[in-house]
Amino acid sequence: MSVQPSPTTSREIVWPSVVTVISAAILIGAEVFGAAFAGGWALAILFGLDDTGAHILQAVLFAVGVFVMVAFIRAAQRVEPFTRRA
């Protein structure tokens, strides 16, 4: 027999977990994206890049920040599940 839940099994959202993860994501996101922009600016000055080079470097670091945030949300969802069976 199959151990997968039937499609009629209802799930409910665990709001405290959702709020906890979203709050942490906002805090960590502010730090990650702030560091990406500041780091891009600092590295552009260090390497003597012009404004265009600085913006490209910031965009690359921003993309790395998006990857970090996606990884954080996925890991946090494993620890704090967003749904449970009713």
Side-chain angles (χ1 to χ4, degrees):
M1 299 301 301
S2 176
V3 293
Q4 294 182 358
S6 66
T8 59
T9 303
S10 65
R11 292 187 172 264
E12 62 182 33
I13 297 173
V14 183
W15 287 109
S17 294
V18 173
V19 170
T20 299
V21 171
I22 297 301
S23 298
I26 290 169
L27 175 65
I28 293 168
E31 295 173 6
V32 166
F33 296 122
F37 286 116
W41 172 76
L43 288 173
I45 290 174
L46 180 67
F47 294 129
L49 302 175
D50 60 353
D51 284 341
T52 304
H55 292 305
I56 291 170
L57 191 55
Q58 286 174 336
V60 168
L61 291 176
F62 182 85
V64 171
V66 169
F67 175 75
V68 168
M69 289 307 303
V70 168
F72 169 76
I73 295 291
R74 292 177 62 124
Q77 192 174 10
R78 282 191 293 264
V79 175
E80 295 277 344
F82 289 173
T83 60
R84 68 174 167 223
R85 291 189 184 118

